[in-house]
Amino acid sequence: GNAELRSPAGVLIRFDHPVPQIIMPTGYVTGLETDGRYLYMAVAPQNTLYRGNPVNYQPGRGGVFAIPVSDIMRKPLAPVEFQDEINNWSAGDNYLGVPINGFSKRVLKVRAPTAFTLRLSFYYMWPASAGDYGEYVDVSLSAGMNTIDLSSYDGIVAIAPTANVSGITLFKLILEP
């Protein structure tokens, strides 16, 4: 399918066995350093209205931020949202691959052009391989807006239709600490 990602320029991720954890959106990061107590990040805000250019940051804004390492080791610090539009989505064509652990609210919203079945795949990075999914959940979607609560699942979530979908499908993954 044709997708135009609309999300932060980046996310700060902590790799923890068996699933990485998103800590926060970062905007456009130009440098990272730590002294053991703090993580220092040089960041410029991302223009959230861009289309297609992943480095469309806002020049002249931003700065260097110090985040206590102890905070990073606890839980996500800020909400994260991923949004995509897919035109003529092919069966089995996976999107997302986003770790959802640590967030208290995990919601997937899908605006479907027609009724179809969406397969949610939840998996772990270690010891499983990328193609070794731990759990599948099929959800029947209606044409229009659908909301799927992911709070009872963990790991990394990927989504794909079980049959070809004509038209534009919009999805939004909302993760809140």
Side-chain angles (χ1 to χ4, degrees), residues 86-110:
I86 305 166
N87 189 24
N88 299 327
W89 200 358
S90 299
D93 190 3
N94 280 309
Y95 279 85
L96 288 178
V98 173
I100 60 175
N101 284 18
F103 291 95
S104 61
K105 182 177 179 182
R106 308 170 216 181
V107 175
L108 177 65
K109 292 184 175 270
V110 181

Side-chain angles (χ1 to χ4, degrees), residues 21-40:
Q21 184 180 67
I22 296 173
I23 301 300
M24 59 187 261
T26 60
Y28 180 65
V29 177
T30 57
L32 287 171
E33 188 64 57
T34 185
D35 61 7
R37 286 189 66 210
Y38 293 93
L39 174 67
Y40 302 97

Side-chain angles (χ1 to χ4, degrees), residues 22-141:
I22 296 173
I23 301 300
M24 59 187 261
T26 60
Y28 180 65
V29 177
T30 57
L32 287 171
E33 188 64 57
T34 185
D35 61 7
R37 286 189 66 210
Y38 293 93
L39 174 67
Y40 302 97
M41 298 175 60
V43 178
Q46 176 70 31
N47 178 354
T48 57
L49 301 177
Y50 80 93
R51 287 264 187 180
N53 182 357
V55 193
N56 185 12
Y57 64 95
Q58 296 174 11
R61 295 191 56 215
V64 176
F65 302 94
I67 304 167
V69 171
S70 60
D71 287 355
I72 291 171
M73 299 307 287
R74 289 190 192 128
K75 65 174 201 156
L77 299 176
V80 182
E81 181 180 295
F82 296 90
Q83 182 171 305
D84 231 336
E85 291 177 359
I86 305 166
N87 189 24
N88 299 327
W89 200 358
S90 299
D93 190 3
N94 280 309
Y95 279 85
L96 288 178
V98 173
I100 60 175
N101 284 18
F103 291 95
S104 61
K105 182 177 179 182
R106 308 170 216 181
V107 175
L108 177 65
K109 292 184 175 270
V110 181
R111 189 179 70 213
T114 186
F116 70 94
T117 300
L118 182 69
R119 175 160 290 160
L120 307 172
S121 304
F122 300 94
Y123 61 98
Y124 299 93
M125 286 186 68
W126 303 286
S129 67
D132 185 15
Y133 294 105
E135 183 175 4
Y136 293 105
V137 177
D138 286 349
V139 177
S140 296
L141 302 180

